[in-house]
Amino acid sequence: MSCKKELKTNAKSTVNKAYDNYYTIAEKHMSNQKFDSAFYYFNKSKSVCDVNTDLNRIIYSLLRMAYIQQIEGDYSSSETTATEVVSYFQHHTNAAYKCSAYNILGINYENLYDYNNAILYFNLAYKHAESELQKAILKNNLAVVYMDKHDYKKAITILIPLSLGKKEVSDTEHYARVLDNLGYCYFKTDNPNALSYLNESLSMQKQVDNKFGMITSYNHLSEFYQKSNRYRAIDYAQLAYKKASEINSIDDRIASLALLIQASTGTESKKYSLKHLQISDSIKKVRQKAKNNFAKIKYDSKIEKEENLNLKTQKIEDTLQLEKQKNKNLVLYFIVGFGFTITSFIYYYLVAKNEREKIKSSYTTEIRIAKKLHDELANDVYQTMAFAETQDLSTADNKELLLNNLDTIYSRTRNISRENSAIETGNLFIPNLKEMMSGFNTNSINILINGLDTINWATVEENKKITVYRVLQELLVNMKKHSKCSLVVLTFKNIKNKLHLDYSDNGVGVVFDEINLKNGLQNVENRILAIKGTITFDTKSNKGFKTNIIFPI
């Protein structure tokens, strides 16, 4: 399929005389098969376009450049250029451009032996095909990929409907290609109808004087007769080589020479082998030269564009510099004075605020410790003392119960110490964090932790690690006091350099009127806001409690 399609202009299209001039020259070189010159001027036509007003022109120029690279056998560079075309596609982009770009990519991947991608892009091109002929051609392209994969049965299932659709698609060249491909597939699958399809295709190719099609038919017939009639195989391969030489098709000459080597013997085989090597070496040099030339054209264009932009920028900067110099000293003095004043104000404000927060934090910590000592530890100590005074400690059961009570008091004392001690933010941060969270696991409460070890904690600031530790501690304490849940799930994710911490439980939940300082959630919110993060609560009564925390790392 050709990407040759005149640009459709409309009333809103802007005039771009530079583009029109380069475009005209490029098309002239293209028609004369001067592909390096055509590539140069298509690249120039693209460089004078504005992406906001000339998007279709940019796409068209790139399509032609990709097509030229493909003709010259530079499939990797053609893939890169065609991929750049796709990056410019929008919802309203002309379907013909999309069809052409995807078809070019399909052909490139086929020649690069990446058959899965070739199938993908031929199918994409098919979705944007505008006519029955285009769809039929793309289906035939798809069948050829399966032939390259030696999946001839799959290719046959695609080609048979195409061979029956002559009335719908009245194009002799296309129909002849379908018959030739179908005949070749039948040959590879030992179907006796193979020869009749190959001969019919050759007859049609001769009828319309399709030289490329005739070469393919000759090569397929040569391969067909390789085992049964060596002399006919040589005759058809020689016909293919002669026709390929007439139209200077290097790849077809190499293919026909390979068949001549297989069918010939002795000195003839050696002669064809030497010619095959000579042409192969020559085409490699020519294509490498073309590839280097294309790369140089694009590179030189980029440098030229950057130099022009730099010159314009420099001129503007020089003009602005002269204007700025007149008021530079006055503005500088003003900025320095104003900056010093603001800096002093901010410094003293932050110092005072920090002192207030330290005092408030110390006061809050003291109250929390005192409350824990009174509500939890003191009651346990009193009950243990009363038990020791009233029970016979000589019995094994009472002695064991006393020891268990003392162990519980020790554990609570250790937990209170850990909750209010300094937090390790180095190598022991993760082990300590896991130990803290595991302390809330009980026979009735199960805590699941996901993704904790996927975070690169070495890159997280110390104050943010401390915040994570304290926030999780507050949430788990709140859970243990109020939620009555049996399952807690904590999930850690790093998305675009932001830590996402999701907490959820299956407890009774709360309503937002209850979210206050008493249950500790206000402390959680304050800590997250202090590190420029966000926190959202998703909770309904009797439907569990969820919160999502996000902050930059």
Side-chain angles (χ1 to χ4, degrees), residues 34 169 316 342 346 484 545:
K34 295 181 178 179
V169 183
I316 294 171
I342 293 297
I346 293 174
K484 300 178 182 179
F545 177 75

PDB file of all heavy atoms in Angstrom, residues 34 169 316 342 346 484 545:
ATOM      1  N   LYS A  34      15.142   9.512  -7.076  1.00  0.00           N
ATOM      2  CA  LYS A  34      16.327  10.053  -6.397  1.00  0.00           C
ATOM      3  C   LYS A  34      15.987  10.153  -4.913  1.00  0.00           C
ATOM      4  O   LYS A  34      15.640  11.205  -4.382  1.00  0.00           O
ATOM      5  CB  LYS A  34      16.687  11.423  -6.972  1.00  0.00           C
ATOM      6  CG  LYS A  34      17.126  11.368  -8.432  1.00  0.00           C
ATOM      7  CD  LYS A  34      17.501  12.758  -8.952  1.00  0.00           C
ATOM      8  CE  LYS A  34      17.984  12.698 -10.396  1.00  0.00           C
ATOM      9  NZ  LYS A  34      18.333  14.040 -10.926  1.00  0.00           N
ATOM     10  N   VAL A 169     -13.409  -6.882  -5.182  1.00  0.00           N
ATOM     11  CA  VAL A 169     -12.173  -6.119  -5.346  1.00  0.00           C
ATOM     12  C   VAL A 169     -11.636  -6.386  -6.745  1.00  0.00           C
ATOM     13  O   VAL A 169     -10.953  -7.373  -6.990  1.00  0.00           O
ATOM     14  CB  VAL A 169     -11.125  -6.519  -4.289  1.00  0.00           C
ATOM     15  CG1 VAL A 169      -9.883  -5.666  -4.445  1.00  0.00           C
ATOM     16  CG2 VAL A 169     -11.700  -6.395  -2.896  1.00  0.00           C
ATOM     17  N   ILE A 316      17.543  38.066  21.250  1.00  0.00           N
ATOM     18  CA  ILE A 316      16.515  38.521  22.190  1.00  0.00           C
ATOM     19  C   ILE A 316      17.122  38.756  23.561  1.00  0.00           C
ATOM     20  O   ILE A 316      16.826  39.748  24.241  1.00  0.00           O
ATOM     21  CB  ILE A 316      15.375  37.483  22.272  1.00  0.00           C
ATOM     22  CG1 ILE A 316      14.644  37.411  20.925  1.00  0.00           C
ATOM     23  CG2 ILE A 316      14.396  37.836  23.388  1.00  0.00           C
ATOM     24  CD1 ILE A 316      13.648  36.277  20.841  1.00  0.00           C
ATOM     25  N   ILE A 342      12.145  39.514  54.900  1.00  0.00           N
ATOM     26  CA  ILE A 342      11.287  38.324  54.879  1.00  0.00           C
ATOM     27  C   ILE A 342      11.981  37.137  55.521  1.00  0.00           C
ATOM     28  O   ILE A 342      11.375  36.378  56.295  1.00  0.00           O
ATOM     29  CB  ILE A 342      10.892  37.973  53.419  1.00  0.00           C
ATOM     30  CG1 ILE A 342       9.993  39.059  52.837  1.00  0.00           C
ATOM     31  CG2 ILE A 342      10.199  36.623  53.351  1.00  0.00           C
ATOM     32  CD1 ILE A 342       8.662  39.212  53.555  1.00  0.00           C
ATOM     33  N   ILE A 346      10.632  35.085  58.696  1.00  0.00           N
ATOM     34  CA  ILE A 346      10.356  33.644  58.597  1.00  0.00           C
ATOM     35  C   ILE A 346      11.185  32.861  59.603  1.00  0.00           C
ATOM     36  O   ILE A 346      10.691  31.921  60.246  1.00  0.00           O
ATOM     37  CB  ILE A 346      10.630  33.141  57.161  1.00  0.00           C
ATOM     38  CG1 ILE A 346       9.610  33.743  56.187  1.00  0.00           C
ATOM     39  CG2 ILE A 346      10.577  31.615  57.090  1.00  0.00           C
ATOM     40  CD1 ILE A 346       9.894  33.418  54.725  1.00  0.00           C
ATOM     41  N   LYS A 484     -12.795  -2.902  66.738  1.00  0.00           N
ATOM     42  CA  LYS A 484     -13.351  -4.243  66.933  1.00  0.00           C
ATOM     43  C   LYS A 484     -13.220  -5.083  65.657  1.00  0.00           C
ATOM     44  O   LYS A 484     -14.138  -5.809  65.259  1.00  0.00           O
ATOM     45  CB  LYS A 484     -14.821  -4.171  67.358  1.00  0.00           C
ATOM     46  CG  LYS A 484     -15.042  -3.416  68.654  1.00  0.00           C
ATOM     47  CD  LYS A 484     -16.516  -3.345  68.989  1.00  0.00           C
ATOM     48  CE  LYS A 484     -16.750  -2.534  70.260  1.00  0.00           C
ATOM     49  NZ  LYS A 484     -18.180  -2.433  70.590  1.00  0.00           N
ATOM     50  N   PHE A 545     -13.071   0.715  58.332  1.00  0.00           N
ATOM     51  CA  PHE A 545     -12.384   2.000  58.314  1.00  0.00           C
ATOM     52  C   PHE A 545     -11.249   1.937  57.288  1.00  0.00           C
ATOM     53  O   PHE A 545     -10.482   0.981  57.252  1.00  0.00           O
ATOM     54  CB  PHE A 545     -11.823   2.299  59.705  1.00  0.00           C
ATOM     55  CG  PHE A 545     -11.035   3.571  59.780  1.00  0.00           C
ATOM     56  CD1 PHE A 545     -11.656   4.805  59.770  1.00  0.00           C
ATOM     57  CD2 PHE A 545      -9.643   3.529  59.831  1.00  0.00           C
ATOM     58  CE1 PHE A 545     -10.911   5.972  59.839  1.00  0.00           C
ATOM     59  CE2 PHE A 545      -8.906   4.687  59.898  1.00  0.00           C
ATOM     60  CZ  PHE A 545      -9.549   5.912  59.898  1.00  0.00           C
TER      61      PHE A 545
END
